[in-house]
Structures are given as C-alpha cells and as structure tokens.
Amino acid sequence: MTPNEVERLENFLTESFREGIYFRELRLSYEEMEYIKKKYPKANVKKCVTTENSDEKVWWEINLLLSINNQKEFIDIEKSQATAV
C-alpha cells in the first residue's frame, strides 16, 4: 500500500473504532486486512460469508476486545497508531 492508502486506512480505523466501539464489520481488501492483522496481531479477525465484488473487497468481522483467561484485554488503537508514526 502507498503511504496515502495507509494514512486513509488508519483514519478509517480510528473513525470506525472510536468512542468505545470494539467490534465492527468492515468491507476491506485482502491487502487492507493483512495490514490490520500485522498492526493488531491480537485482534480477532473473521471473514464473513459473502461474495467478492468487482473491487475485490469482502466483509470482515474485527473484534479488538478479547477474552483471554477470563480477563478482558483491549487493544488501544490510538496508542498503537502513535507508536506506528
């Protein structure tokens, strides 16, 4: 992805997961999904059962709130972005 595409994706993710939202269904390309998996390796990512469109984007369930050993862990998207810049 180009730097402009990465910046656009970062802004989209910040907007999508603001104000205490931890779970979203997002329509993303495979390249965008791979970026998210690398950036947030503990996020739970699941491909939804859909057909691909002509733009090759599909729907994904993304959950940033995980349950590990009966404890809740939140991946702080803003903190992760600050370290990535």
Side-chain angles (χ1 to χ4, degrees):
M1 289 193 314
T2 67
N4 286 340
E5 291 171 328
V6 170
E7 183 178 350
R8 181 191 54 79
L9 180 58
E10 290 285 349
N11 290 336
F12 175 69
L13 292 172
T14 299
E15 185 67 22
S16 296
F17 292 103
R18 72 177 197 280
E19 298 179 14
I21 297 172
Y22 307 113
F23 176 85
R24 295 294 294 247
E25 289 183 359
L26 302 176
R27 193 170 155 274
L28 303 165
S29 69
Y30 284 97
E31 186 178 27
E32 291 168 331
M33 180 45 52
E34 288 303 316
Y35 177 84
I36 291 170
K37 286 180 181 179
K38 287 178 185 174
K39 185 165 178 77
Y40 307 105
K42 293 184 180 182
N44 185 8
V45 176
K46 179 181 168 188
K47 183 178 177 182
C48 298
V49 180
T50 62
T51 58
E52 288 186 17
N53 293 327
S54 61
D55 64 358
E56 299 181 4
K57 291 190 176 190
V58 295
W59 286 96
W60 299 86
E61 290 180 0
I62 302 174
N63 188 349
L64 299 180
L65 188 63
L66 302 175
S67 178
I68 301 174
N69 297 327
N70 296 325
Q71 294 180 350
K72 300 279 184 182
E73 179 181 301
F74 172 66
I75 301 169
D76 186 353
I77 198 166
E78 290 181 7
K79 183 176 180 182
S80 296
Q81 284 182 347
T83 60
V85 175

